[in-house]
Amino acid sequence: MQIQATDQSHDGPSNKPQVDTPVLAKLDIPLFYATERGPIPWQHSVFCGKAFAETVLTECEKLFQDNNYGLVHIGVYNPRQARHKDGTPIIPIRWSNHAYGEAMDFKGVYTDNGNGEFLGIARMKAEIPGFLNSLHTACETAVTAINRKPEIVDEGDWLHLGIWPSR
């Protein structure tokens, strides 16, 4: 992975939180964005906080390379308030980990280094549960190692892989 320092994002509302040490992370694995019609190649670097790149993204990259998987997601940086799976706000209202560039909604894997088939979370649970357990453990261990609190939530159709805001 190549991690390059960058400026704050200009997206979102003016009162959004600042991303701590913003970076662009270019992963050495195939990335896909999940759309309603299925995953499409995502040729962009990931805008996020350096801590997220050095923990969650680094662990994802290692595991995905070891298993020849492409990563399918439905978002990383998004300057918005925290909400439940159904879209209702979390009370008390707070900024989402996504607003700090420290969370990803992980949708599944593409087999054969991104050239095979898409396995969403339900299929992963049925067919490759060991991989999901390894992903959870690796991310949790890496985040804890930097004295931060992991926030890993099974949302049913996706996994929220994040770092609890330090603010």
Side-chain angles (χ1 to χ4, degrees), residues 5-161:
T6 192
D7 296 326
Q8 294 291 328
S9 172
H10 298 293
D11 294 340
S14 60
N15 66 336
K16 69 182 180 285
Q18 297 290 292
V19 172
D20 187 28
T21 316
V23 299
L24 292 173
K26 181 163 179 42
L27 281 73
D28 294 325
I29 56 173
L31 293 179
F32 298 85
Y33 184 77
T35 71
E36 292 176 2
R37 293 178 301 282
I40 59 171
W42 202 66
Q43 304 296 333
H44 311 283
S45 293
V46 175
F47 175 82
C48 61
K50 185 176 181 184
F52 184 75
E54 292 180 341
T55 58
V56 174
L57 292 181
T58 295
E59 294 305 317
C60 284
E61 184 176 75
K62 287 178 197 174
L63 283 169
F64 282 67
Q65 284 176 331
D66 289 347
N67 290 277
N68 292 315
Y69 291 151
L71 186 152
V72 182
H73 71 91
I74 50 175
V76 178
Y77 176 72
N78 186 355
R80 63 166 174 79
Q81 300 292 315
R83 59 188 183 212
H84 295 284
K85 177 183 176 181
D86 67 2
T88 59
I90 291 176
I91 305 296
I93 297 205
R94 66 174 173 85
W95 287 98
S96 167
N97 314 49
H98 293 280
Y100 296 97
E102 293 187 332
M104 171 177 57
D105 288 336
F106 169 67
K107 190 74 170 160
V109 301
Y110 237 121
T111 62
D112 192 21
N113 209 30
N115 297 308
E117 66 179 310
F118 170 60
L119 303 180
I121 299 301
R123 282 191 64 193
M124 291 179 73
K125 287 177 180 177
E127 298 175 28
I128 53 170
F131 178 82
L132 275 177
N133 290 337
S134 294
L135 180 62
H136 185 285
T137 300
C139 291
E140 186 174 78
T141 300
V143 171
T144 303
I146 63 165
N147 296 314
R148 298 280 304 277
K149 179 182 172 186
E151 185 181 52
I152 301 171
V153 181
D154 185 340
E155 298 284 4
D157 290 344
W158 72 89
L159 295 180
H160 172 89
L161 302 174

